[in-house]
């Protein structure tokens, strides 16, 4: 655990120093661009693992990381391009979000067995997440 805390501290300090020297917005762009690329590489690694071993968990992780990388990449690109009107309400973003949600649902379906659940009980966290999101939208 100590190496992870040290790594986290190093990354956080680098980000704060970068924000101080490059500016907050620029450092966020650097971080978003980097995490986009890393997420897509992680997705490719999980996809390869799924292909080699055909585990549904690896496929779920591949979909989740692909959706995350593409969604963050979209936000990153929109900021780099100064939020063009064509990108703000592009339906293509729902393709990326759907990959992410699909990966999450597959992940919940796979791990439900660890909790002794069967059937579609894995959908409770998914429905709970959407319910919470809708309630927050309605409240604010």
């Amino acid at each position: 655990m100590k190496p992870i805390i040290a790594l986290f501290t190093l990354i956080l300090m680098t980000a704060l120093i970068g924000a101080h020297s490059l500016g907050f917005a620029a450092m966020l762009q650097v971080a978003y661009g980097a995490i986009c690329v890393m997420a897509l590489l992680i997705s490719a690694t999980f996809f390869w693992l799924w292909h080699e071993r055909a585990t549904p968990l690896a496929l779920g992780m591949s979909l989740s990381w692909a959706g995350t990388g593409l969604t963050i990449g979209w936000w990153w690109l929109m900021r780099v391009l100064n939020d063009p009107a064509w990108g703000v309400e592009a339906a293509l973003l729902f393709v990326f979000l759907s990959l992410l949600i699909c990966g999450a649902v597959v992940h919940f379906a796979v791990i439900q067995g660890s909790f002794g659940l069967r059937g579609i009980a894995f959908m409770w966290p998914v429905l709970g997440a959407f319910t919470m999101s809708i309630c927050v939208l309605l409240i604010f």
Side-chain angles (χ1 to χ4, degrees), residues 9-111:
T9 302
L10 176 66
I11 293 168
L12 178 58
M13 294 307 297
T14 302
L16 293 174
I17 290 168
H20 182 72
S21 60
L22 297 174
F24 188 79
M27 193 59 203
L28 278 177
Q29 292 307 318
V30 169
Y32 281 130
I35 198 64
C36 167
V37 172
M38 287 187 284
L40 293 173
L41 290 170
I42 291 168
S43 172
T45 303
F46 275 115
F47 188 76
W48 170 82
L49 186 61
W50 170 77
H51 181 266
E52 292 296 310
R53 296 206 169 86
T55 62
L57 185 58
L59 183 57
M61 293 300 289
S62 177
L63 292 170
S64 292
W65 278 105
T68 298
L70 292 170
T71 300
I72 289 173
W74 183 268
W75 291 335
W76 173 63
L77 182 62
M78 291 302 99
R79 292 297 302 148
V80 168
L81 298 176
N82 293 316
D83 296 315
W86 60 264
V88 176
E89 293 187 14
L92 183 60
L93 188 53
F94 287 112
V95 173
F96 305 154
L97 290 169
S98 295
L99 278 172
L100 179 54
I101 293 167
C102 180
V105 170
V106 169
H107 194 89
F108 284 123
V110 170
I111 64 172

